[in-house]
Amino acid sequence: MKVIASSIRKGNIIEKEDGQLYVVLTAESFHPGKGTPTTQIDMRRLSDGVKTTDRYKTTEQVERAYVEDQNFSFLYQDSDGHTFMNAETYDQVVVPADVIGDQSIYLQEGMTCVLSIFNGVAVGIQLPARVTLEVVETEPAMKGQTASSSYKPAKLSNGARAMVPPHISAGTRIVVQTEDGSYVERAKD
């Protein structure tokens, strides 16, 4: 279906004139003082992973591919990719690592994710906004250091690194944003 370029968001799937499908990585609108407002869209071609950038007038029409979003549970990862299962139909789908990208580090067994399915193939994924992980190692807190001071590096149970407040110690469970890996709060469990 045709939509205006300014309504395109990250994760949308666009079908360009060449018949190829592209997943939107970033979409940014520019409103200069003079001239026509534009929307710059960075995207990745689904067939081979080539990244491109296009600029559209904000009112220009773009063909948005009809993609069905469904809830899937993450099962496991192997050499073929990441295997997910539809909780309603028990169908299993293998998603290649390049579709998930660097967010794969936050996948946990049984985690419910939203997969974007186009013609039976997974073309995009949305992880939950936050995950709870355990701090494996971090520097000890220094005496006299206030909570509002700088953050310190910490290694998490999934192997990722995050910056945490000084009062967080090894063994503490924390909540992390999956989008950028930033610390949110201490887990309440």
Side-chain angles (χ1 to χ4, degrees):
M1 71 179 162
K2 293 259 189 203
V3 295
I4 60 171
S6 61
S7 69
I8 297 294
R9 299 284 176 260
K10 178 182 176 181
N12 289 163
I13 310 292
I14 295 175
E15 187 172 358
K16 288 179 62 174
E17 296 79 35
D18 58 6
Q20 294 279 342
L21 291 178
Y22 293 80
V23 63
V24 175
L25 304 173
T26 61
E28 202 171 355
S29 293
F30 298 100
H31 300 280
K34 279 186 172 180
T36 309
T38 59
T39 299
Q40 180 173 316
I41 301 175
D42 294 333
M43 51 194 139
R44 181 174 42 84
R45 191 172 15 201
L46 294 174
S47 59
D48 56 10
V50 172
K51 292 182 180 174
T52 60
T53 301
D54 281 354
R55 193 167 274 202
Y56 300 96
K57 293 178 182 169
T58 52
T59 55
E60 213 172 322
Q61 298 283 312
V62 179
E63 184 68 36
R64 187 169 165 205
Y66 178 69
V67 178
E68 193 175 352
D69 289 342
Q70 297 177 346
N71 288 335
F72 281 80
S73 294
F74 175 65
L75 296 177
Y76 59 89
Q77 174 185 355
D78 60 13
S79 59
D80 296 334
H82 300 77
T83 304
F84 291 84
M85 181 181 71
N86 186 323
E88 295 169 10
T89 63
Y90 300 107
D91 291 341
Q92 291 189 6
V93 174
V94 177
V95 181
D98 62 330
V99 171
I100 299 173
D102 55 2
Q103 288 187 317
S104 64
I105 197 165
Y106 296 109
L107 284 173
Q108 297 172 347
E109 190 175 319
M111 175 185 277
T112 301
C113 303
V114 177
L115 289 182
S116 300
I117 309 292
F118 182 81
N119 291 343
V121 178
V123 294
I125 184 168
Q126 292 174 352
L127 270 63
R130 298 173 174 183
V131 292
T132 302
L133 298 166
E134 186 175 328
V135 175
V136 177
E137 67 182 58
T138 187
E139 300 164 6
M142 306 256 258
K143 187 172 181 166
Q145 197 174 23
T146 62
S148 64
S149 71
S150 63
Y151 281 42
K152 62 183 182 179
K155 187 174 182 185
L156 305 177
S157 56
N158 65 350
R161 297 200 170 273
M163 298 300 284
V164 298
H167 67 273
I168 300 292
S169 59
T172 306
R173 291 175 48 82
I174 62 169
V175 177
V176 177
Q177 293 271 24
T178 55
E179 191 173 330
D180 57 4
S182 62
Y183 169 85
V184 178
E185 63 186 0
R186 180 182 277 186
K188 296 186 174 38
D189 50 9

